[in-house]
Amino acid sequence: MTEIRTFATPPVSMPSVWKVCHYSRYDFFNFDMKNGEIKDYNQQRNLLAGEDFIISLLKGLEHEVGDAAGWLLYTIGQNWGKQDAIAFNVWFKEQYNLTLQTANLNFAMETWWWPLTAQGWGTWSLDLNSLKDGYIFVDLFDSAVAKTLGYVGKPVCHLYAGMLSGFFSAVFEKNLSSTEVQCYAMGNEFCRFLIGSEKRIRATEFWMSSGATLADIENRLMTDEISADVELLVRTNS
């Protein structure tokens, strides 16, 4: 049996949220100056990197693999997202006594993204209204990649797209893909990603290559030009 979790009351007791209120860098990060190590609240190691590092990484990949750099970054992001989903399931249970099967899905997703915001990856706005239709829109503000590169006239957040694909594939137990349909590096105010089946994402990328605007894409999705081939549901324990 499956169902969509929206604003249901968790059937299990939660510990005091004050115990996990780590909303300053002093609470979220542990700077171990003696050993030269930074760990976050969830005991994951962190690395401080500036804009020069991001630019050098992207330019280095382009030099080595050419046009495949975007695909490589997407693949790296996918693996990151899948591994982060595993880690999230562990610390979400430890800190809140909740799982994806017992939690409000919106709460779970915001809880997952908070550490990424603290680490400098930007803030997001998640639209789960189209789960039954098999796709999700994510708006990303202050992309570390796009903000660093500035205006280049094309989508550049391949790492984010892959990470969203990997994470949501693990959450919904589906093989999902993702693509960036607008980007700060294209002159937009923020980046927007579409997550869905490979068939839907391929169609979207074809529309974009043919000159479709974001409004065109959203309208085509709403009118079921590409029929829903997957439902995004979180499996319950029942």
Side-chain angles (χ1 to χ4, degrees), residues 18-54:
W18 291 108
K19 295 180 179 179
V20 288
C21 285
H22 38 62
Y23 298 111
S24 78
R25 68 185 182 94
Y26 302 103
D27 296 325
F28 186 74
F29 293 106
N30 177 26
F31 294 88
D32 186 346
M33 304 302 292
K34 181 179 180 180
N35 296 314
E37 186 176 67
I38 305 172
K39 286 189 176 181
D40 60 32
Y41 190 88
N42 302 314
Q43 297 303 306
Q44 294 182 324
R45 294 180 65 186
N46 287 250
L47 172 70
L48 295 179
E51 293 184 349
D52 289 343
F53 174 83
I54 295 175

PDB file of all heavy atoms in Angstrom, residues 18-54:
ATOM      1  N   TRP A  18      14.304  21.666  20.258  1.00  0.00           N
ATOM      2  CA  TRP A  18      15.342  22.556  20.762  1.00  0.00           C
ATOM      3  C   TRP A  18      16.697  21.867  20.801  1.00  0.00           C
ATOM      4  O   TRP A  18      17.745  22.512  20.737  1.00  0.00           O
ATOM      5  CB  TRP A  18      14.975  23.059  22.163  1.00  0.00           C
ATOM      6  CG  TRP A  18      13.806  23.992  22.155  1.00  0.00           C
ATOM      7  CD1 TRP A  18      12.546  23.749  22.608  1.00  0.00           C
ATOM      8  CD2 TRP A  18      13.780  25.325  21.616  1.00  0.00           C
ATOM      9  NE1 TRP A  18      11.731  24.830  22.395  1.00  0.00           N
ATOM     10  CE2 TRP A  18      12.462  25.819  21.791  1.00  0.00           C
ATOM     11  CE3 TRP A  18      14.723  26.148  21.006  1.00  0.00           C
ATOM     12  CZ2 TRP A  18      12.077  27.097  21.383  1.00  0.00           C
ATOM     13  CZ3 TRP A  18      14.339  27.416  20.603  1.00  0.00           C
ATOM     14  CH2 TRP A  18      13.051  27.880  20.796  1.00  0.00           C
ATOM     15  N   LYS A  19      16.683  20.552  20.881  1.00  0.00           N
ATOM     16  CA  LYS A  19      17.934  19.810  20.935  1.00  0.00           C
ATOM     17  C   LYS A  19      18.672  19.834  19.595  1.00  0.00           C
ATOM     18  O   LYS A  19      19.860  19.531  19.540  1.00  0.00           O
ATOM     19  CB  LYS A  19      17.673  18.366  21.356  1.00  0.00           C
ATOM     20  CG  LYS A  19      17.141  18.238  22.784  1.00  0.00           C
ATOM     21  CD  LYS A  19      16.913  16.775  23.145  1.00  0.00           C
ATOM     22  CE  LYS A  19      16.403  16.628  24.570  1.00  0.00           C
ATOM     23  NZ  LYS A  19      16.150  15.211  24.930  1.00  0.00           N
ATOM     24  N   VAL A  20      17.948  20.136  18.535  1.00  0.00           N
ATOM     25  CA  VAL A  20      18.582  20.142  17.207  1.00  0.00           C
ATOM     26  C   VAL A  20      18.472  21.510  16.553  1.00  0.00           C
ATOM     27  O   VAL A  20      18.500  21.636  15.331  1.00  0.00           O
ATOM     28  CB  VAL A  20      17.956  19.065  16.293  1.00  0.00           C
ATOM     29  CG1 VAL A  20      18.377  17.691  16.731  1.00  0.00           C
ATOM     30  CG2 VAL A  20      16.437  19.188  16.274  1.00  0.00           C
ATOM     31  N   CYS A  21      18.345  22.556  17.353  1.00  0.00           N
ATOM     32  CA  CYS A  21      18.330  23.920  16.819  1.00  0.00           C
ATOM     33  C   CYS A  21      19.774  24.404  16.666  1.00  0.00           C
ATOM     34  O   CYS A  21      20.354  24.969  17.599  1.00  0.00           O
ATOM     35  CB  CYS A  21      17.535  24.851  17.734  1.00  0.00           C
ATOM     36  SG  CYS A  21      15.755  24.633  17.608  1.00  0.00           S
ATOM     37  N   HIS A  22      20.356  24.128  15.533  1.00  0.00           N
ATOM     38  CA  HIS A  22      21.751  24.488  15.282  1.00  0.00           C
ATOM     39  C   HIS A  22      21.793  25.531  14.166  1.00  0.00           C
ATOM     40  O   HIS A  22      22.288  25.281  13.071  1.00  0.00           O
ATOM     41  CB  HIS A  22      22.570  23.252  14.910  1.00  0.00           C
ATOM     42  CG  HIS A  22      21.836  22.266  14.047  1.00  0.00           C
ATOM     43  ND1 HIS A  22      21.384  22.566  12.790  1.00  0.00           N
ATOM     44  CD2 HIS A  22      21.466  20.988  14.290  1.00  0.00           C
ATOM     45  CE1 HIS A  22      20.786  21.513  12.269  1.00  0.00           C
ATOM     46  NE2 HIS A  22      20.814  20.539  13.165  1.00  0.00           N
ATOM     47  N   TYR A  23      21.285  26.727  14.477  1.00  0.00           N
ATOM     48  CA  TYR A  23      21.103  27.727  13.441  1.00  0.00           C
ATOM     49  C   TYR A  23      22.189  28.805  13.420  1.00  0.00           C
ATOM     50  O   TYR A  23      21.995  29.881  12.890  1.00  0.00           O
ATOM     51  CB  TYR A  23      19.719  28.377  13.571  1.00  0.00           C
ATOM     52  CG  TYR A  23      18.616  27.369  13.387  1.00  0.00           C
ATOM     53  CD1 TYR A  23      17.805  26.981  14.443  1.00  0.00           C
ATOM     54  CD2 TYR A  23      18.402  26.770  12.141  1.00  0.00           C
ATOM     55  CE1 TYR A  23      16.808  26.032  14.264  1.00  0.00           C
ATOM     56  CE2 TYR A  23      17.417  25.831  11.965  1.00  0.00           C
ATOM     57  CZ  TYR A  23      16.615  25.461  13.028  1.00  0.00           C
ATOM     58  OH  TYR A  23      15.638  24.523  12.864  1.00  0.00           O
ATOM     59  N   SER A  24      23.313  28.526  14.007  1.00  0.00           N
ATOM     60  CA  SER A  24      24.467  29.409  13.872  1.00  0.00           C
ATOM     61  C   SER A  24      25.670  28.558  13.514  1.00  0.00           C
ATOM     62  O   SER A  24      25.684  27.355  13.773  1.00  0.00           O
ATOM     63  CB  SER A  24      24.735  30.174  15.170  1.00  0.00           C
ATOM     64  OG  SER A  24      25.380  29.350  16.131  1.00  0.00           O
ATOM     65  N   ARG A  25      26.676  29.178  12.936  1.00  0.00           N
ATOM     66  CA  ARG A  25      27.854  28.397  12.521  1.00  0.00           C
ATOM     67  C   ARG A  25      28.585  27.812  13.718  1.00  0.00           C
ATOM     68  O   ARG A  25      29.281  26.802  13.598  1.00  0.00           O
ATOM     69  CB  ARG A  25      28.789  29.258  11.682  1.00  0.00           C
ATOM     70  CG  ARG A  25      29.487  30.392  12.418  1.00  0.00           C
ATOM     71  CD  ARG A  25      30.281  31.234  11.429  1.00  0.00           C
ATOM     72  NE  ARG A  25      31.010  32.313  12.067  1.00  0.00           N
ATOM     73  CZ  ARG A  25      32.271  32.228  12.446  1.00  0.00           C
ATOM     74  NH1 ARG A  25      32.932  31.094  12.286  1.00  0.00           N
ATOM     75  NH2 ARG A  25      32.890  33.246  13.012  1.00  0.00           N
ATOM     76  N   TYR A  26      28.403  28.420  14.878  1.00  0.00           N
ATOM     77  CA  TYR A  26      29.069  27.903  16.069  1.00  0.00           C
ATOM     78  C   TYR A  26      28.395  26.626  16.572  1.00  0.00           C
ATOM     79  O   TYR A  26      29.028  25.781  17.202  1.00  0.00           O
ATOM     80  CB  TYR A  26      29.072  28.970  17.170  1.00  0.00           C
ATOM     81  CG  TYR A  26      29.743  30.253  16.752  1.00  0.00           C
ATOM     82  CD1 TYR A  26      28.998  31.369  16.410  1.00  0.00           C
ATOM     83  CD2 TYR A  26      31.137  30.323  16.672  1.00  0.00           C
ATOM     84  CE1 TYR A  26      29.615  32.540  16.003  1.00  0.00           C
ATOM     85  CE2 TYR A  26      31.762  31.494  16.262  1.00  0.00           C
ATOM     86  CZ  TYR A  26      30.994  32.604  15.935  1.00  0.00           C
ATOM     87  OH  TYR A  26      31.613  33.751  15.516  1.00  0.00           O
ATOM     88  N   ASP A  27      27.103  26.497  16.308  1.00  0.00           N
ATOM     89  CA  ASP A  27      26.373  25.297  16.712  1.00  0.00           C
ATOM     90  C   ASP A  27      26.449  24.205  15.655  1.00  0.00           C
ATOM     91  O   ASP A  27      26.534  23.022  15.970  1.00  0.00           O
ATOM     92  CB  ASP A  27      24.902  25.623  16.981  1.00  0.00           C
ATOM     93  CG  ASP A  27      24.721  26.577  18.148  1.00  0.00           C
ATOM     94  OD1 ASP A  27      25.512  26.480  19.102  1.00  0.00           O
ATOM     95  OD2 ASP A  27      23.812  27.414  18.098  1.00  0.00           O
ATOM     96  N   PHE A  28      26.411  24.608  14.387  1.00  0.00           N
ATOM     97  CA  PHE A  28      26.357  23.612  13.311  1.00  0.00           C
ATOM     98  C   PHE A  28      27.728  23.036  12.989  1.00  0.00           C
ATOM     99  O   PHE A  28      27.850  21.857  12.673  1.00  0.00           O
ATOM    100  CB  PHE A  28      25.743  24.225  12.062  1.00  0.00           C
ATOM    101  CG  PHE A  28      25.528  23.237  10.956  1.00  0.00           C
ATOM    102  CD1 PHE A  28      24.500  22.310  11.034  1.00  0.00           C
ATOM    103  CD2 PHE A  28      26.357  23.198   9.847  1.00  0.00           C
ATOM    104  CE1 PHE A  28      24.301  21.369  10.025  1.00  0.00           C
ATOM    105  CE2 PHE A  28      26.164  22.272   8.838  1.00  0.00           C
ATOM    106  CZ  PHE A  28      25.135  21.360   8.927  1.00  0.00           C
ATOM    107  N   PHE A  29      28.775  23.876  13.063  1.00  0.00           N
ATOM    108  CA  PHE A  29      30.115  23.426  12.698  1.00  0.00           C
ATOM    109  C   PHE A  29      31.011  23.279  13.927  1.00  0.00           C
ATOM    110  O   PHE A  29      30.920  24.043  14.885  1.00  0.00           O
ATOM    111  CB  PHE A  29      30.772  24.415  11.730  1.00  0.00           C
ATOM    112  CG  PHE A  29      30.118  24.488  10.389  1.00  0.00           C
ATOM    113  CD1 PHE A  29      29.342  25.580  10.047  1.00  0.00           C
ATOM    114  CD2 PHE A  29      30.257  23.464   9.464  1.00  0.00           C
ATOM    115  CE1 PHE A  29      28.736  25.661   8.804  1.00  0.00           C
ATOM    116  CE2 PHE A  29      29.654  23.525   8.228  1.00  0.00           C
ATOM    117  CZ  PHE A  29      28.892  24.630   7.896  1.00  0.00           C
ATOM    118  N   ASN A  30      31.870  22.275  13.854  1.00  0.00           N
ATOM    119  CA  ASN A  30      32.905  22.096  14.868  1.00  0.00           C
ATOM    120  C   ASN A  30      34.257  22.291  14.191  1.00  0.00           C
ATOM    121  O   ASN A  30      34.691  21.447  13.413  1.00  0.00           O
ATOM    122  CB  ASN A  30      32.814  20.703  15.493  1.00  0.00           C
ATOM    123  CG  ASN A  30      33.923  20.459  16.508  1.00  0.00           C
ATOM    124  OD1 ASN A  30      34.448  21.396  17.099  1.00  0.00           O
ATOM    125  ND2 ASN A  30      34.292  19.206  16.691  1.00  0.00           N
ATOM    126  N   PHE A  31      34.896  23.432  14.483  1.00  0.00           N
ATOM    127  CA  PHE A  31      36.176  23.749  13.870  1.00  0.00           C
ATOM    128  C   PHE A  31      37.299  23.220  14.774  1.00  0.00           C
ATOM    129  O   PHE A  31      37.628  23.802  15.803  1.00  0.00           O
ATOM    130  CB  PHE A  31      36.326  25.258  13.681  1.00  0.00           C
ATOM    131  CG  PHE A  31      35.360  25.847  12.697  1.00  0.00           C
ATOM    132  CD1 PHE A  31      34.094  26.272  13.109  1.00  0.00           C
ATOM    133  CD2 PHE A  31      35.692  25.970  11.359  1.00  0.00           C
ATOM    134  CE1 PHE A  31      33.201  26.817  12.205  1.00  0.00           C
ATOM    135  CE2 PHE A  31      34.810  26.513  10.452  1.00  0.00           C
ATOM    136  CZ  PHE A  31      33.550  26.933  10.871  1.00  0.00           C
ATOM    137  N   ASP A  32      37.859  22.100  14.365  1.00  0.00           N
ATOM    138  CA  ASP A  32      38.948  21.469  15.119  1.00  0.00           C
ATOM    139  C   ASP A  32      40.268  22.004  14.569  1.00  0.00           C
ATOM    140  O   ASP A  32      40.849  21.442  13.638  1.00  0.00           O
ATOM    141  CB  ASP A  32      38.867  19.951  14.973  1.00  0.00           C
ATOM    142  CG  ASP A  32      39.884  19.218  15.838  1.00  0.00           C
ATOM    143  OD1 ASP A  32      40.815  19.873  16.340  1.00  0.00           O
ATOM    144  OD2 ASP A  32      39.748  17.993  15.999  1.00  0.00           O
ATOM    145  N   MET A  33      40.737  23.100  15.138  1.00  0.00           N
ATOM    146  CA  MET A  33      41.929  23.753  14.615  1.00  0.00           C
ATOM    147  C   MET A  33      43.183  22.909  14.835  1.00  0.00           C
ATOM    148  O   MET A  33      44.115  22.951  14.036  1.00  0.00           O
ATOM    149  CB  MET A  33      42.096  25.122  15.294  1.00  0.00           C
ATOM    150  CG  MET A  33      40.877  26.026  15.149  1.00  0.00           C
ATOM    151  SD  MET A  33      40.457  26.335  13.404  1.00  0.00           S
ATOM    152  CE  MET A  33      41.865  27.320  12.893  1.00  0.00           C
ATOM    153  N   LYS A  34      43.195  22.119  15.900  1.00  0.00           N
ATOM    154  CA  LYS A  34      44.373  21.307  16.201  1.00  0.00           C
ATOM    155  C   LYS A  34      44.615  20.264  15.115  1.00  0.00           C
ATOM    156  O   LYS A  34      45.755  20.047  14.683  1.00  0.00           O
ATOM    157  CB  LYS A  34      44.197  20.621  17.557  1.00  0.00           C
ATOM    158  CG  LYS A  34      45.384  19.763  17.960  1.00  0.00           C
ATOM    159  CD  LYS A  34      45.172  19.132  19.318  1.00  0.00           C
ATOM    160  CE  LYS A  34      46.360  18.265  19.721  1.00  0.00           C
ATOM    161  NZ  LYS A  34      46.169  17.636  21.057  1.00  0.00           N
ATOM    162  N   ASN A  35      43.557  19.616  14.671  1.00  0.00           N
ATOM    163  CA  ASN A  35      43.687  18.570  13.654  1.00  0.00           C
ATOM    164  C   ASN A  35      43.380  19.072  12.250  1.00  0.00           C
ATOM    165  O   ASN A  35      43.431  18.295  11.291  1.00  0.00           O
ATOM    166  CB  ASN A  35      42.753  17.406  13.996  1.00  0.00           C
ATOM    167  CG  ASN A  35      43.124  16.724  15.297  1.00  0.00           C
ATOM    168  OD1 ASN A  35      44.294  16.430  15.529  1.00  0.00           O
ATOM    169  ND2 ASN A  35      42.136  16.481  16.154  1.00  0.00           N
ATOM    170  N   GLY A  36      43.049  20.356  12.120  1.00  0.00           N
ATOM    171  CA  GLY A  36      42.754  20.917  10.800  1.00  0.00           C
ATOM    172  C   GLY A  36      41.547  20.282  10.153  1.00  0.00           C
ATOM    173  O   GLY A  36      41.557  19.974   8.957  1.00  0.00           O
ATOM    174  N   GLU A  37      40.489  20.101  10.935  1.00  0.00           N
ATOM    175  CA  GLU A  37      39.305  19.388  10.443  1.00  0.00           C
ATOM    176  C   GLU A  37      38.043  20.153  10.816  1.00  0.00           C
ATOM    177  O   GLU A  37      37.947  20.759  11.889  1.00  0.00           O
ATOM    178  CB  GLU A  37      39.270  17.990  11.048  1.00  0.00           C
ATOM    179  CG  GLU A  37      38.180  17.089  10.527  1.00  0.00           C
ATOM    180  CD  GLU A  37      38.272  15.685  11.121  1.00  0.00           C
ATOM    181  OE1 GLU A  37      38.063  15.548  12.335  1.00  0.00           O
ATOM    182  OE2 GLU A  37      38.556  14.747  10.357  1.00  0.00           O
ATOM    183  N   ILE A  38      37.073  20.130   9.908  1.00  0.00           N
ATOM    184  CA  ILE A  38      35.777  20.742  10.163  1.00  0.00           C
ATOM    185  C   ILE A  38      34.715  19.672  10.022  1.00  0.00           C
ATOM    186  O   ILE A  38      34.592  19.049   8.964  1.00  0.00           O
ATOM    187  CB  ILE A  38      35.478  21.889   9.177  1.00  0.00           C
ATOM    188  CG1 ILE A  38      36.586  22.927   9.190  1.00  0.00           C
ATOM    189  CG2 ILE A  38      34.130  22.538   9.508  1.00  0.00           C
ATOM    190  CD1 ILE A  38      36.438  23.973   8.100  1.00  0.00           C
ATOM    191  N   LYS A  39      33.948  19.463  11.080  1.00  0.00           N
ATOM    192  CA  LYS A  39      32.821  18.546  11.014  1.00  0.00           C
ATOM    193  C   LYS A  39      31.544  19.309  11.318  1.00  0.00           C
ATOM    194  O   LYS A  39      31.546  20.263  12.099  1.00  0.00           O
ATOM    195  CB  LYS A  39      32.987  17.390  12.014  1.00  0.00           C
ATOM    196  CG  LYS A  39      34.017  16.357  11.591  1.00  0.00           C
ATOM    197  CD  LYS A  39      33.973  15.132  12.500  1.00  0.00           C
ATOM    198  CE  LYS A  39      34.935  14.056  12.010  1.00  0.00           C
ATOM    199  NZ  LYS A  39      34.888  12.844  12.879  1.00  0.00           N
ATOM    200  N   ASP A  40      30.455  18.889  10.682  1.00  0.00           N
ATOM    201  CA  ASP A  40      29.193  19.557  10.943  1.00  0.00           C
ATOM    202  C   ASP A  40      28.425  18.819  12.042  1.00  0.00           C
ATOM    203  O   ASP A  40      28.919  17.857  12.634  1.00  0.00           O
ATOM    204  CB  ASP A  40      28.360  19.699   9.662  1.00  0.00           C
ATOM    205  CG  ASP A  40      28.020  18.367   9.019  1.00  0.00           C
ATOM    206  OD1 ASP A  40      27.857  17.367   9.737  1.00  0.00           O
ATOM    207  OD2 ASP A  40      27.885  18.319   7.774  1.00  0.00           O
ATOM    208  N   TYR A  41      27.208  19.277  12.300  1.00  0.00           N
ATOM    209  CA  TYR A  41      26.392  18.733  13.379  1.00  0.00           C
ATOM    210  C   TYR A  41      26.122  17.243  13.193  1.00  0.00           C
ATOM    211  O   TYR A  41      25.935  16.507  14.155  1.00  0.00           O
ATOM    212  CB  TYR A  41      25.076  19.507  13.448  1.00  0.00           C
ATOM    213  CG  TYR A  41      24.234  19.213  14.666  1.00  0.00           C
ATOM    214  CD1 TYR A  41      24.417  19.926  15.845  1.00  0.00           C
ATOM    215  CD2 TYR A  41      23.246  18.243  14.635  1.00  0.00           C
ATOM    216  CE1 TYR A  41      23.648  19.672  16.967  1.00  0.00           C
ATOM    217  CE2 TYR A  41      22.462  17.970  15.748  1.00  0.00           C
ATOM    218  CZ  TYR A  41      22.668  18.689  16.913  1.00  0.00           C
ATOM    219  OH  TYR A  41      21.901  18.429  18.018  1.00  0.00           O
ATOM    220  N   ASN A  42      26.111  16.803  11.915  1.00  0.00           N
ATOM    221  CA  ASN A  42      25.834  15.407  11.606  1.00  0.00           C
ATOM    222  C   ASN A  42      27.099  14.571  11.461  1.00  0.00           C
ATOM    223  O   ASN A  42      27.061  13.466  10.921  1.00  0.00           O
ATOM    224  CB  ASN A  42      25.001  15.328  10.323  1.00  0.00           C
ATOM    225  CG  ASN A  42      23.705  16.100  10.444  1.00  0.00           C
ATOM    226  OD1 ASN A  42      23.007  15.993  11.441  1.00  0.00           O
ATOM    227  ND2 ASN A  42      23.380  16.896   9.436  1.00  0.00           N
ATOM    228  N   GLN A  43      28.220  15.120  11.929  1.00  0.00           N
ATOM    229  CA  GLN A  43      29.513  14.429  11.950  1.00  0.00           C
ATOM    230  C   GLN A  43      30.059  14.134  10.560  1.00  0.00           C
ATOM    231  O   GLN A  43      30.804  13.172  10.361  1.00  0.00           O
ATOM    232  CB  GLN A  43      29.426  13.135  12.779  1.00  0.00           C
ATOM    233  CG  GLN A  43      29.098  13.376  14.244  1.00  0.00           C
ATOM    234  CD  GLN A  43      30.089  14.306  14.921  1.00  0.00           C
ATOM    235  OE1 GLN A  43      31.301  14.073  14.883  1.00  0.00           O
ATOM    236  NE2 GLN A  43      29.584  15.389  15.505  1.00  0.00           N
ATOM    237  N   GLN A  44      29.666  14.941   9.591  1.00  0.00           N
ATOM    238  CA  GLN A  44      30.232  14.814   8.257  1.00  0.00           C
ATOM    239  C   GLN A  44      31.364  15.812   8.088  1.00  0.00           C
ATOM    240  O   GLN A  44      31.282  16.955   8.559  1.00  0.00           O
ATOM    241  CB  GLN A  44      29.149  15.051   7.194  1.00  0.00           C
ATOM    242  CG  GLN A  44      28.066  13.986   7.181  1.00  0.00           C
ATOM    243  CD  GLN A  44      27.043  14.222   6.094  1.00  0.00           C
ATOM    244  OE1 GLN A  44      26.692  15.351   5.772  1.00  0.00           O
ATOM    245  NE2 GLN A  44      26.552  13.145   5.509  1.00  0.00           N
ATOM    246  N   ARG A  45      32.421  15.395   7.420  1.00  0.00           N
ATOM    247  CA  ARG A  45      33.577  16.275   7.204  1.00  0.00           C
ATOM    248  C   ARG A  45      33.244  17.323   6.150  1.00  0.00           C
ATOM    249  O   ARG A  45      32.578  17.050   5.166  1.00  0.00           O
ATOM    250  CB  ARG A  45      34.789  15.456   6.774  1.00  0.00           C
ATOM    251  CG  ARG A  45      35.291  14.509   7.845  1.00  0.00           C
ATOM    252  CD  ARG A  45      36.495  13.732   7.354  1.00  0.00           C
ATOM    253  NE  ARG A  45      37.627  14.618   7.103  1.00  0.00           N
ATOM    254  CZ  ARG A  45      38.770  14.215   6.552  1.00  0.00           C
ATOM    255  NH1 ARG A  45      38.916  12.944   6.181  1.00  0.00           N
ATOM    256  NH2 ARG A  45      39.759  15.065   6.369  1.00  0.00           N
ATOM    257  N   ASN A  46      33.744  18.538   6.367  1.00  0.00           N
ATOM    258  CA  ASN A  46      33.505  19.645   5.455  1.00  0.00           C
ATOM    259  C   ASN A  46      34.818  20.240   4.985  1.00  0.00           C
ATOM    260  O   ASN A  46      35.845  20.146   5.678  1.00  0.00           O
ATOM    261  CB  ASN A  46      32.674  20.737   6.146  1.00  0.00           C
ATOM    262  CG  ASN A  46      31.216  20.346   6.331  1.00  0.00           C
ATOM    263  OD1 ASN A  46      30.324  20.884   5.704  1.00  0.00           O
ATOM    264  ND2 ASN A  46      30.966  19.374   7.211  1.00  0.00           N
ATOM    265  N   LEU A  47      34.779  20.860   3.822  1.00  0.00           N
ATOM    266  CA  LEU A  47      35.955  21.498   3.232  1.00  0.00           C
ATOM    267  C   LEU A  47      35.591  22.926   2.854  1.00  0.00           C
ATOM    268  O   LEU A  47      34.563  23.160   2.198  1.00  0.00           O
ATOM    269  CB  LEU A  47      36.416  20.730   1.986  1.00  0.00           C
ATOM    270  CG  LEU A  47      37.507  21.372   1.141  1.00  0.00           C
ATOM    271  CD1 LEU A  47      38.840  21.337   1.894  1.00  0.00           C
ATOM    272  CD2 LEU A  47      37.650  20.641  -0.203  1.00  0.00           C
ATOM    273  N   LEU A  48      36.400  23.886   3.280  1.00  0.00           N
ATOM    274  CA  LEU A  48      36.183  25.269   2.899  1.00  0.00           C
ATOM    275  C   LEU A  48      36.773  25.500   1.511  1.00  0.00           C
ATOM    276  O   LEU A  48      37.930  25.158   1.257  1.00  0.00           O
ATOM    277  CB  LEU A  48      36.844  26.216   3.910  1.00  0.00           C
ATOM    278  CG  LEU A  48      36.277  26.213   5.341  1.00  0.00           C
ATOM    279  CD1 LEU A  48      37.054  27.180   6.218  1.00  0.00           C
ATOM    280  CD2 LEU A  48      34.794  26.579   5.330  1.00  0.00           C
ATOM    281  N   ALA A  49      35.981  26.069   0.618  1.00  0.00           N
ATOM    282  CA  ALA A  49      36.442  26.319  -0.751  1.00  0.00           C
ATOM    283  C   ALA A  49      35.897  27.657  -1.223  1.00  0.00           C
ATOM    284  O   ALA A  49      34.755  28.024  -0.909  1.00  0.00           O
ATOM    285  CB  ALA A  49      35.982  25.202  -1.687  1.00  0.00           C
ATOM    286  N   GLY A  50      36.691  28.380  -1.966  1.00  0.00           N
ATOM    287  CA  GLY A  50      36.290  29.680  -2.482  1.00  0.00           C
ATOM    288  C   GLY A  50      35.910  29.624  -3.953  1.00  0.00           C
ATOM    289  O   GLY A  50      35.887  28.552  -4.578  1.00  0.00           O
ATOM    290  N   GLU A  51      35.625  30.772  -4.514  1.00  0.00           N
ATOM    291  CA  GLU A  51      35.217  30.851  -5.919  1.00  0.00           C
ATOM    292  C   GLU A  51      36.316  30.378  -6.858  1.00  0.00           C
ATOM    293  O   GLU A  51      36.033  29.763  -7.894  1.00  0.00           O
ATOM    294  CB  GLU A  51      34.803  32.279  -6.253  1.00  0.00           C
ATOM    295  CG  GLU A  51      33.529  32.731  -5.549  1.00  0.00           C
ATOM    296  CD  GLU A  51      33.096  34.118  -5.973  1.00  0.00           C
ATOM    297  OE1 GLU A  51      33.897  34.807  -6.657  1.00  0.00           O
ATOM    298  OE2 GLU A  51      31.963  34.514  -5.642  1.00  0.00           O
ATOM    299  N   ASP A  52      37.575  30.649  -6.503  1.00  0.00           N
ATOM    300  CA  ASP A  52      38.687  30.222  -7.362  1.00  0.00           C
ATOM    301  C   ASP A  52      38.712  28.704  -7.501  1.00  0.00           C
ATOM    302  O   ASP A  52      39.026  28.171  -8.578  1.00  0.00           O
ATOM    303  CB  ASP A  52      40.019  30.716  -6.792  1.00  0.00           C
ATOM    304  CG  ASP A  52      40.199  32.215  -6.939  1.00  0.00           C
ATOM    305  OD1 ASP A  52      39.470  32.816  -7.755  1.00  0.00           O
ATOM    306  OD2 ASP A  52      41.045  32.792  -6.231  1.00  0.00           O
ATOM    307  N   PHE A  53      38.383  27.996  -6.409  1.00  0.00           N
ATOM    308  CA  PHE A  53      38.361  26.532  -6.459  1.00  0.00           C
ATOM    309  C   PHE A  53      37.275  26.050  -7.416  1.00  0.00           C
ATOM    310  O   PHE A  53      37.502  25.137  -8.227  1.00  0.00           O
ATOM    311  CB  PHE A  53      38.117  25.964  -5.064  1.00  0.00           C
ATOM    312  CG  PHE A  53      37.939  24.467  -5.036  1.00  0.00           C
ATOM    313  CD1 PHE A  53      39.035  23.625  -5.009  1.00  0.00           C
ATOM    314  CD2 PHE A  53      36.671  23.909  -5.062  1.00  0.00           C
ATOM    315  CE1 PHE A  53      38.876  22.252  -4.987  1.00  0.00           C
ATOM    316  CE2 PHE A  53      36.499  22.528  -5.040  1.00  0.00           C
ATOM    317  CZ  PHE A  53      37.604  21.698  -5.006  1.00  0.00           C
ATOM    318  N   ILE A  54      36.081  26.644  -7.324  1.00  0.00           N
ATOM    319  CA  ILE A  54      34.974  26.231  -8.187  1.00  0.00           C
ATOM    320  C   ILE A  54      35.306  26.484  -9.645  1.00  0.00           C
ATOM    321  O   ILE A  54      35.098  25.615 -10.511  1.00  0.00           O
ATOM    322  CB  ILE A  54      33.687  26.979  -7.787  1.00  0.00           C
ATOM    323  CG1 ILE A  54      33.250  26.571  -6.371  1.00  0.00           C
ATOM    324  CG2 ILE A  54      32.561  26.698  -8.788  1.00  0.00           C
ATOM    325  CD1 ILE A  54      32.062  27.342  -5.852  1.00  0.00           C
TER     326      ILE A  54
END
